Amino acid sequence: MKHLPRWLLPCGLAVAQLAAWPGRPLATGEPLPAAAVATGVAVTVVVAAALLWRRTAPPATLAVVVAALTVGTVGVSADALLVISVADLVALYGVAVWRSGRLALGGTAGVALWQCALIAATSGVTGEYPAEVASVVIVYPAVVAFGRARHRWHADRATAAARLAEAEDRRNRAADTERRRLARELHDVTAHHLTSIVVIVSAAQRLGAARPDLAAEARAFASRTGRDTLAALHRLVALLQRPDERPDPVAARLDALAEGFRLLGQRVGVQAGEAQEPPPAATEAVCGITREALTNILRYAPGAGVRIRLATAPAGLELTIDDDGARADGPGGLGSGRGVAGMRERATTLGGTLTAGPRPGGGWRVRAVLPSPSPAVLPPAAGVAVAAGRSRRRPGSAQVIDAALVLLALFAPAGGLLAAPGDAGPAGAPVPLLLLVAAAHAVPVGWRRRRPWTVLGAVAATAWILPVLIATGVIAPAHGWVLPAGLGAELIAVYAVARYARRHDLSALAAAVASASAVLAAGVTLALDTPSEQDIPLVFGAGVMAAVVACPLGLPILLAWLTGWLVRRRRAGIESREHDAVAASTAQALWVAGLERARVAAGLRAAVLRDTARVATAADAGDLDQVLTSARAALDAMRGLLNGLREEASGPARGDHEPQPTAAALPALAERWRAGGRAVALEVRGAGRVLPADVDLSAFRVVELLLAGDTGPVAVRVDLDDDPVRIGVRPMPADAGGEIAAGLRARLAAVGGSTTTAADGLPEILLPGTVPPHPDGIRPDAARESGRGRPAGEQGRAAGSDPGRPAGRNEEVASSPSA
């Protein structure tokens, strides 16, 4: 939805004020003091100018407005500046929206005290002073409460934007993350199974003449381990096909790992019964770290005693793997290869830590700490208790708004009762009873959020109390004005149904119910006030009077329903678009990860599973040569797949799997917005021009950023023919929080772009169509090949681009981070 220009409200107030005073009196020839006119005009101009900064500097705006209105109240008559006098409410609302709650509360107290003192100084402490103070006490906190509600709305949108950015980041990194995870799994299988077969069978062949018994042991080991390897690979392929399969408990998986290494001669003990069951990601990390640590112990301290302990600690889930064996830590020792790096990567991926080194008493220790999930740190019950305790200590803006609305609904009838003279006032009316009737009608709106339909029913029912009391003679018909004075309760109740009711498709009934109740009750009340000598039947008179008041009473109720319906629709649309965007990014991330799993599963089936199956078959046949050949073939195939995954996860091949969008993708971007119901007009001149890779990507990202800043109709013009490339978006999106400006600055800094003012006075973005040579004579494409100054995801595009393409960035931009 398009935001209103910041200048519209101040200019509207200033024009309305100057038209009402001094414009109208001067137009009718009424003489006005020149000093008063000059003071009023100056105050109006100063207040309107100050309100232009109500978002960027709200405290200063409030101070200037209060000071100017004080001067105007003293220098001009009391009612002359009535229009511009609401500017302090506008400024206070700005403080509540754009600054902290504590500052908003302080501003409310200060302005309310100032207003009460100003009323006493200018009008005196008369009989009307309590009502005026009451209006100040009601209105100012209500304005601040609405401002804090708007502040929360902005905070929710910022949170939603952060969630979307996180989802987009997960989507962009999904393939790389899945490749790294699969590379770790394949490395573990390679080290634990196939390498052991190759080493043991090779040793048996070398020592066959001196130790003929080793051949039989090697065949048995190869047969058993080959089947275990095949089973492990089949499980891995099954998991790749079924990512949602629920894994075994972590204790059972650690016991299975320990049993496998006991068969290889290790003495392994497991203590994991006291640990809480971790989430699946943590379970995979625990098992992967344990498997890697046991493999290293088998390699460098065979036969050593090993103790595995998994426990829940204050810092999170703690995994400790101790061994008491002596080892020779040379160039191939623990910590010099992939082993410790892989374990540490598993831990840090989840936000944990891992250390590996000698134990004080001898041996080696691997210790990993994985953070606990948030529910373990703060149970839901505790969180609810804390929130409830805070709400009891200090009411939130919602409670303040509800209370203020109750008082506002009660203000008109109560104020009229206390201020009206004669028979309609305290001298001739049962004021306590009438106040009680007005309160019964207004108080239910305090529950409008939680029970909107119930509140509507209560308001509609209590509207008939006054006609019943008049009909029974308890109250004189002259006091029937209290009923329409309390119409605010109907307006609030109808708005609440349209805004908060679950069945919003039935909310239009609320307007019909409230209108029928209010109109009929008012018609009966007016009919009861008809002089008896006219002898008009009550039913006929009530019908006629209801027809007379139908429009004055029904139209505001209809407008209240329409306002609530529009607000609900707009907010629901914004939240739905945010949710859909996050869901789409998450689904795409899962899809990309699924493609990687399917690709790896296909690679395993194509070669690794086949050769691994031959290992067990050859071992059963007693052919150690074939065992060794098949094991090495399976190992080579798996290592090839493993190396390919690592290269794709960190090298230029990523561009082949995840191409970055360019200016050529702008029509598809506009079409996606149109599919969501937004009017997007796109004009691209010079389509097909070859741009530097950075500029080509940045042209798309700039348009994407500016389109995401708003949801209203927009026209986009991209001129690729010019140098520099020109991008214009009309209208430019509102940027209350400055997020769009920050993102645009980062993007332009990355490619050496800039902004300028177009002929229509609005900003225009400039991107370099070509990049000048590096001042030191270094080719920019050589810098791209080295990967400096460019994200990993863009290196693939540069590697696959045309060698004759112009350079991508200059020295200054190459040293700055990409946006």
Side-chain angles (χ1 to χ4, degrees):
M1 182 176 180
K2 181 176 172 56
H3 294 278
L4 295 176
R6 190 176 303 183
W7 53 265
L8 185 60
L9 178 61
C11 289
L13 286 177
V15 170
Q17 173 58 58
L18 294 178
W21 194 95
R24 187 181 61 81
L26 292 177
T28 59
E30 180 181 343
L32 294 176
V37 171
T39 301
V41 171
V43 167
T44 301
V45 172
V46 170
V47 169
L51 289 180
L52 294 174
W53 283 271
R54 65 188 184 277
R55 296 178 184 174
T56 55
T61 299
L62 180 61
V64 172
V65 167
V66 167
L69 291 180
T70 303
V71 172
T73 304
V74 173
V76 187
S77 61
D79 297 332
L81 301 180
L82 187 62
V83 176
I84 202 67
S85 63
V86 302
D88 60 336
L89 297 177
V90 176
L92 190 60
Y93 178 84
V95 174
V97 173
W98 304 109
R99 290 298 182 265
S100 66
R102 182 173 299 179
L103 185 59
L105 289 176
T108 305
V111 175
L113 291 175
W114 160 79
Q115 188 65 258
C116 293
L118 196 61
I119 294 172
T122 55
S123 303
V125 182
T126 63
E128 297 180 354
Y129 184 73
E132 294 177 337
V133 171
S135 65
V136 170
V137 171
I138 295 173
V139 171
Y140 282 85
V143 168
V144 172
F146 278 108
R148 295 308 297 172
R150 189 65 179 175
H151 176 86
R152 282 200 311 275
W153 171 257
H154 286 311
D156 291 342
R157 304 288 66 74
T159 302
R163 284 198 303 267
L164 178 58
E166 183 180 355
E168 289 286 339
D169 184 60
R170 283 197 305 268
R171 177 180 63 83
N172 294 332
R173 293 187 293 107
D176 283 352
T177 301
E178 193 64 16
R179 291 181 195 124
R180 291 190 179 95
R181 188 185 72 81
L182 294 174
R184 289 196 299 267
E185 296 297 332
L186 292 177
H187 170 265
D188 294 339
V189 173
T190 301
H192 178 41
H193 294 291
L194 296 177
T195 303
S196 300
I197 294 174
V198 172
V199 170
I200 290 177
V201 173
S202 299
Q205 287 184 329
R206 286 197 308 270
L207 302 175
R211 295 282 306 278
D213 57 312
L214 290 181
E217 293 181 7
R219 286 194 298 271
F221 176 81
S223 178
R224 181 179 66 251
T225 308
R227 288 186 173 84
D228 291 342
T229 305
L230 191 62
L233 290 174
H234 276 300
R235 286 195 299 270
L236 180 58
V237 171
L239 287 174
L240 293 178
Q241 293 173 330
R242 293 176 291 169
D244 57 344
E245 181 180 12
R246 183 177 180 84
D248 294 331
V250 64
R253 297 182 64 178
L254 291 179
D255 287 335
L257 275 175
E259 183 61 28
F261 278 89
R262 291 189 192 107
L263 296 176
L264 299 178
Q266 296 293 140
R267 294 177 288 115
V268 184
V270 179
Q271 181 184 352
E274 298 179 358
Q276 294 181 356
E277 187 64 26
T283 299
E284 294 298 327
V286 167
C287 295
I289 292 170
T290 303
R291 184 166 50 232
E292 183 64 45
L294 291 175
T295 301
N296 285 324
I297 294 170
L298 177 65
R299 184 179 303 162
Y300 301 116
V306 184
R307 292 170 299 282
I308 302 173
R309 182 177 181 273
L310 182 66
T312 303
L317 195 66
E318 183 177 351
L319 172 66
T320 306
I321 305 166
D322 293 331
D323 72 83
D324 52 12
R327 68 183 70 226
D329 295 320
L334 181 64
S336 62
R338 172 73 184 170
V340 171
M343 290 188 289
R344 184 170 290 115
E345 184 180 355
R346 288 181 183 273
T348 55
T349 299
L350 299 180
T353 59
L354 184 137
T355 57
R359 294 170 56 215
W364 199 265
R365 167 172 290 179
V366 174
R367 180 177 179 271
V369 178
L370 305 178
S372 299
S374 56
V377 178
L378 180 61
V384 173
V386 172
R390 289 177 179 174
S391 64
R392 284 194 298 266
R393 287 195 300 268
R394 188 179 64 186
S397 59
Q399 289 76 23
V400 174
I401 291 174
D402 292 339
L405 290 178
V406 171
L407 294 176
L408 286 174
L410 185 60
F411 184 78
L417 286 171
L418 296 176
D423 292 339
V431 174
L433 179 59
L434 289 173
L435 289 176
L436 187 61
V437 171
H441 190 56
V443 166
V445 302
W447 289 269
R448 63 193 181 94
R449 300 173 189 268
R450 297 185 294 274
R451 298 284 187 272
W453 283 106
T454 304
V455 167
L456 178 66
V459 169
T462 53
W464 288 90
I465 296 178
L466 189 64
V468 170
L469 293 177
I470 293 176
T472 57
V474 177
I475 296 177
H479 304 310
W481 62 266
V482 175
L483 179 62
L487 185 65
E490 276 83 0
L491 302 180
I492 296 170
V494 170
Y495 175 90
V497 171
R499 175 70 178 86
Y500 302 110
R502 293 182 179 179
R503 293 295 304 273
H504 60 279
D505 54 329
L506 301 177
S507 64
L509 293 176
V513 170
S515 298
S517 174
V519 169
L520 291 177
V524 171
T525 302
L526 292 174
L528 290 173
D529 197 23
T530 304
S532 57
E533 58 270 12
Q534 294 185 4
D535 195 22
I536 299 176
L538 179 63
V539 175
F540 177 77
V544 172
M545 293 301 175
V548 171
V549 300
C551 186
L553 295 183
L555 185 59
I557 293 175
L558 180 61
L559 292 177
W561 170 82
L562 183 61
T563 302
W565 184 81
L566 291 175
V567 170
R568 178 178 187 143
R569 181 181 178 184
R570 174 180 177 270
R571 295 202 169 194
I574 293 174
E575 293 170 352
S576 177
R577 286 193 295 272
E578 293 169 349
H579 179 271
D580 291 346
V582 172
S585 294
T586 303
Q588 189 171 4
L590 294 175
W591 178 71
V592 170
L595 289 181
E596 291 302 316
R597 288 193 295 269
R599 189 164 66 93
V600 173
L604 290 174
R605 292 193 199 96
V608 181
L609 285 172
R610 179 192 60 202
D611 291 323
T612 304
R614 290 174 180 172
V615 171
T617 303
D620 292 339
D623 189 352
L624 287 183
D625 291 335
Q626 184 60 39
V627 168
L628 192 58
T629 300
S630 299
R632 283 175 173 166
L635 188 59
D636 289 342
M638 189 177 291
R639 282 175 174 167
L641 187 58
L642 173 64
N643 292 334
L645 287 173
R646 290 175 182 166
E647 290 172 1
E648 290 172 358
S650 59
R654 176 182 175 186
D656 298 332
H657 294 273
E658 295 181 87
Q660 293 283 357
T662 63
L666 288 175
L669 175 65
E671 190 59 35
R672 287 201 301 271
W673 278 102
R674 295 189 192 107
R678 184 181 185 187
V680 178
L682 174 66
E683 178 186 359
V684 180
R685 294 183 54 190
R689 176 189 175 186
V690 177
L691 295 171
D694 295 340
V695 177
D696 212 7
L697 170 64
S698 295
F700 179 90
R701 293 302 189 198
V702 166
V703 176
E704 183 183 48
L705 176 67
L706 295 178
L707 287 180
D710 212 333
T711 57
V714 65
V716 181
R717 186 176 185 274
V718 181
D719 190 349
L720 303 178
D721 281 338
D722 286 347
D723 190 5
V725 172
R726 296 178 177 273
I727 300 175
V729 175
R730 302 293 183 268
M732 291 290 284
D735 189 19
E739 297 88 352
I740 296 177
L744 191 59
R745 284 195 298 270
R747 173 60 62 183
L748 296 181
V751 295
S754 61
T755 59
T756 186
T757 302
D760 57 0
L762 294 176
E764 190 174 52
I765 292 87
L766 305 180
L767 300 176
T770 58
V771 178
H774 195 284
D776 295 333
I778 301 175
R779 293 186 303 111
D781 53 328
R784 279 201 299 273
E785 293 169 0
S786 68
R788 292 176 296 178
R790 173 188 290 276
E794 296 179 35
Q795 294 174 16
R797 289 180 47 79
S801 59
D802 186 357
R805 177 174 293 184
R809 60 178 74 190
N810 55 25
E811 177 188 22
E812 295 172 335
V813 176
S815 63
S816 62
S818 177

